[in-house]
Amino acid sequence: MHKRTIAVTFITLSSLSLASCRSIKPDQQAATHSESLARYRASSEAKESNQRRSIASSKEASIKQQSESIVAASESIEQAKQQSNQSTSAKKTLTADQQTSVNQAFLAWAAERATIGNMAVSDWYFDHGAAGFGDWFANSPDGRILVQPGTASPGFNAYPVHAIGGCVFYTALDGTVGKDNLDRGSFADNYSLNMAMDKPVSKYLLGDNGVVYELKLGNGHLTSTNDGFSELKDDGKQAYSEPLVFAVSEDTAAQAELKSLLANY
């Protein structure tokens, strides 16, 4: 009896299931399938749209960054041009006596600074032995600096900067601090008489554009009066050698001092 009841129940449930299936019409099944397909397509299109927006956003950010870099580079170039123009406009045309006065005043200031630093300073920053007829010059970020004009071309106006004078800081072997008479011996002795070349040596070159240039030497290397300078050949075009480059000095006090001295002329 129990088994018969189970069988009747199963047949009844199966009949209900089949009836339910028959109750869903073919057009309803098609509509359901179409809705599912539409939802899938909409989801795919949304994903593709998001991807396109992401790619476009990345490209836009990259283009913006490149544009900002170009603008920054242009501004940097413009600032450099302005600084160069300012240096050119600050040039002073001084007589020989005025150059001597500026150089002596700067040397007096340098002697005080050297004393504080327990160093010596001398105005014997440049000299040379036998030479030809060409100009003597130094190299700098602002171009060649005329230090001593010769009798051959190219002449004074060919140089963007001209030296007013200069000095050299060093540690004296005899313990002298402040101003020192470094050229007390013969030219052949040069700096060897009283300069400790195992210590820092700095040559300062004063430009008529109001800029102090500096060449760092010493520290174990032999140093002489013609270090940092070279001569043009008699044709006025080629140099016998290209000397080391004087950098714009980071000594802000020296820069201010030179500008202050030139302001008097």
Side-chain angles (χ1 to χ4, degrees):
M1 182 66 179
H2 178 67
K3 292 181 179 179
R4 186 180 297 128
T5 301
I6 293 173
V8 171
T9 302
F10 175 77
I11 292 170
T12 301
L13 292 172
S14 298
S15 299
L16 290 171
S17 176
L18 290 172
S20 175
C21 291
R22 285 195 296 270
S23 66
I24 301 175
K25 297 178 180 180
D27 57 344
Q28 290 178 333
Q29 292 179 351
T32 301
H33 177 72
S34 297
E35 290 176 358
S36 299
L37 183 60
R39 285 195 297 270
Y40 173 77
R41 288 177 176 173
S43 176
S44 298
E45 290 175 355
K47 289 181 180 179
E48 291 178 359
S49 178
N50 290 335
Q51 289 177 349
R52 286 194 295 269
R53 282 197 295 268
S54 178
I55 293 172
S57 177
S58 298
K59 288 182 177 179
E60 183 179 353
S62 177
I63 292 172
K64 182 179 180 181
Q65 184 177 7
Q66 291 177 358
S67 298
E68 291 175 348
S69 298
I70 292 172
V71 171
S74 299
E75 290 177 349
S76 178
I77 293 172
E78 185 61 27
Q79 289 176 356
K81 288 181 178 178
Q82 291 177 357
Q83 292 175 353
S84 178
N85 291 336
Q86 290 173 357
S87 295
T88 301
S89 62
K91 288 181 65 174
K92 296 284 186 176
T93 302
L94 305 178
T95 66
D97 289 340
Q98 289 172 336
Q99 290 183 25
T100 299
S101 296
V102 170
N103 198 40
Q104 288 179 346
F106 188 89
L107 183 63
W109 172 87
E112 294 179 359
R113 291 293 299 274
T115 300
I116 295 173
N118 200 34
M119 297 184 73
V121 64
S122 171
D123 60 355
W124 200 31
Y125 71 99
F126 162 71
D127 204 348
H128 60 82
F133 301 101
D135 298 333
W136 280 84
F137 68 94
N139 280 329
S140 81
D142 297 319
R144 285 179 172 176
I145 302 174
L146 178 62
V147 178
Q148 178 181 294
T151 57
S153 59
F156 185 88
N157 293 328
Y159 297 86
V161 186
H162 312 89
I164 295 174
C167 61
V168 56
F169 288 90
Y170 57 96
T171 298
L173 294 174
D174 63 1
T176 298
V177 294
K179 186 177 179 181
D180 185 25
N181 181 23
L182 190 58
D183 59 340
R184 66 192 69 169
S186 66
F187 179 78
D189 294 325
N190 215 275
Y191 286 160
S192 64
L193 281 181
N194 202 34
M195 181 180 288
M197 297 183 189
D198 59 332
K199 303 290 180 63
V201 176
S202 287
K203 287 188 177 185
Y204 279 25
L205 188 59
L206 314 182
D208 62 354
N209 59 346
V211 177
V212 179
Y213 300 92
E214 181 177 357
L215 179 63
K216 296 181 179 181
L217 301 164
N219 285 321
H221 298 281
L222 294 178
T223 303
S224 68
T225 53
N226 60 1
D227 281 340
F229 307 98
S230 185
E231 182 188 15
L232 290 180
K233 295 181 179 180
D234 291 348
D235 61 8
K237 298 179 180 179
Q238 296 184 356
Y240 285 101
S241 63
E242 287 297 333
L244 297 173
V245 178
F246 276 78
V248 174
S249 178
E250 296 179 357
D251 187 342
T252 56
Q255 299 288 2
E257 179 65 18
L258 178 59
K259 287 179 173 57
S260 176
L261 292 173
L262 291 178
N264 298 319
Y265 299 94

